Amino acid sequence: MNAQPPIPMMSYQGPQQVAFQRDELGVILSLYGRMVAAGEWRDYGISCLREVAVFSIFRRTAEQPLYRVEKRPNLRDKQGQYSVIGMDGRILKRGHDLRTVLRVLERKLIRAID
């Protein structure tokens, strides 16, 4: 009799950490570059954690971030995986398309000319 050991069940645990893809970073850094040129922003930081990737935007290096752009793949099927969060923790915009979500920050770039 040929007895074979049971096949171990491999469970899919998902990625060990969430990160922004190259095209997503391109969109974010394009906006960041325009805001730096306008003198609004000075520094940024990127955090890649287990459930969320965060792009933090600073006016000065030693401050709290002005805005956080977050990617949460767990919310992809619900409210949208991208969100922009203000300094006070309020969600300013959330959605499925990163360019649409970042429009809330582009409004700050538009100013009236005298």
Side-chain angles (χ1 to χ4, degrees), residues 39-52:
E40 295 290 323
W41 299 343
R42 294 261 171 103
D43 200 7
Y44 71 90
I46 299 176
S47 301
C48 298
L49 306 172
R50 184 176 294 270
E51 295 182 11
V52 62

Side-chain angles (χ1 to χ4, degrees), residues 15-20 24 46-56 68-75 80-85 94:
Q16 291 298 322
Q17 76 185 80
V18 177
F20 289 104
E24 295 167 336
I46 299 176
S47 301
C48 298
L49 306 172
R50 184 176 294 270
E51 295 182 11
V52 62
V54 182
F55 186 95
S56 301
R68 293 187 331 254
V69 179
E70 292 189 354
K71 176 183 177 182
R72 293 182 182 269
N74 292 342
L75 297 178
Q81 66 179 344
Y82 303 108
S83 60
V84 174
I85 301 172
R94 176 179 281 160

Side-chain angles (χ1 to χ4, degrees), residues 19-31 44 46 55 98:
F20 289 104
Q21 302 298 316
R22 183 177 295 213
D23 57 335
E24 295 167 336
L25 274 178
V27 172
I28 295 170
L29 289 173
S30 173
L31 172 63
Y44 71 90
I46 299 176
F55 186 95
L98 182 59

Side-chain angles (χ1 to χ4, degrees), residues 82-105:
Y82 303 108
S83 60
V84 174
I85 301 172
M87 189 184 326
D88 55 357
R90 288 184 305 153
I91 296 175
L92 303 177
K93 183 86 172 170
R94 176 179 281 160
H96 298 281
D97 182 45
L98 182 59
R99 291 182 193 274
T100 305
V101 171
L102 291 178
R103 283 191 194 143
V104 73
L105 298 177

